[in-house]
Amino acid sequence: MTAEAVIVTMTPPSLPDWVFPPPQGFVAEDLDHLPDLPAHTELIDGSLVFVSPQRHFHQMVIRRLCNALDEFVPAGHAVAQEMTIKLGPRQRPEPDIIVLGPNATITSGVTCFDAADVVLVVEVVSIESELRDRYRKPVLYAEAGIPHFWRIEEINEKPAVFVYELDPATKSYVPAGVCHDWLKRTVPFDIDIDLSTLYMPGTR
């Protein structure tokens, strides 16, 4: 008996159409119509950005800060997470937390908010998002006129909040302080938060 080689031809799996961007890049409305997009997909500079699985620090700080902000936002304002903001035709990022002003339209079918409705954006920096959170996204938020931006970094397993305010003359953010132990602010509203409550190593 002679052995015969068996050649198996495998057909590569077909890729979804959204893997191949149009020549001009994607636009903000595409996020509502592209099928089977991974959760938390963002649009930055016309390109789709996919988010890696998040660490415990990232998830806990977001959840607890949302709960804390709910205690301080004025009437008519709202705290939201896992929602995108339309900043321009080719810009639709998803901040970790946003605070909406009283003019925002909030209904069950809303999939994103306009920049004009946002008074504060918060980004909790992770390893994979470090460049976007520190450099590109703050520029986009400032150019869109969002008045307040906070960047949260993990320093020695504790959250540190880097606070920025918009300079309307330059449409860029200027530093307004770094909070390591306590977040106490009077803008965009009165805030008084013990940062040690946002993350305690070893707790659930």
Side-chain angles (χ1 to χ4, degrees):
M1 179 179 297
T2 59
E4 295 182 358
V6 178
I7 300 176
V8 178
T9 302
M10 301 199 55
T11 302
S14 59
L15 297 174
D17 291 339
W18 51 258
V19 170
F20 309 100
Q24 75 279 8
F26 292 103
V27 296
E29 290 73 19
D30 288 334
L31 290 190
D32 293 325
H33 306 295
L34 294 172
D36 303 319
L37 277 180
H40 311 301
T41 299
E42 301 181 275
L43 183 70
I44 297 178
D45 299 327
S47 297
L48 300 177
V49 177
F50 308 111
V51 179
S52 301
Q54 298 299 333
R55 296 180 304 117
H56 186 252
F57 175 88
H58 189 273
Q59 188 268 338
M60 292 300 291
V61 169
I62 292 172
R63 180 168 65 85
R64 289 178 173 169
L65 182 55
C66 278
N67 292 338
L69 287 173
D70 273 329
E71 301 295 321
F72 292 100
V73 291
H77 291 61
V79 181
Q81 66 182 99
E82 300 180 356
M83 293 290 292
T84 55
I85 306 173
K86 183 178 179 181
L87 305 179
R90 301 171 68 237
Q91 312 290 356
R92 189 171 156 185
E94 182 184 299
D96 288 315
I97 302 172
I98 61 178
V99 176
L100 298 161
N103 295 324
T105 299
I106 304 176
T107 66
S108 61
V110 166
T111 59
C112 72
F113 295 103
D114 291 330
D117 296 330
V118 179
V119 298
L120 168 68
V121 289
V122 182
E123 295 285 4
V124 181
V125 175
S126 57
I127 295 174
E128 65 87 20
S129 69
E130 185 176 86
L131 291 177
R132 295 192 302 276
D133 292 345
R134 288 179 176 176
Y135 304 107
R136 184 58 182 147
K137 292 172 81 172
V139 170
L140 295 175
Y141 296 145
E143 290 177 345
I146 296 174
H148 299 277
F149 169 67
W150 298 349
R151 190 185 78 245
I152 300 179
E153 303 264 0
E154 180 182 359
I155 299 177
N156 297 325
E157 294 191 303
K158 296 179 180 179
V161 183
F162 293 75
V163 179
Y164 298 86
E165 296 180 18
L166 183 67
D167 180 343
T170 62
K171 281 294 183 75
S172 61
Y173 287 125
V174 294
V178 183
C179 305
H180 290 276
D181 300 310
W182 214 275
L183 177 61
K184 190 175 180 64
R185 304 287 299 164
T186 58
V187 291
F189 42 82
D190 288 334
I191 302 163
D192 193 356
I193 299 173
D194 180 356
L195 293 179
S196 69
T197 63
L198 300 186
Y199 189 77
M200 293 169 281
T203 61
R204 296 179 183 271

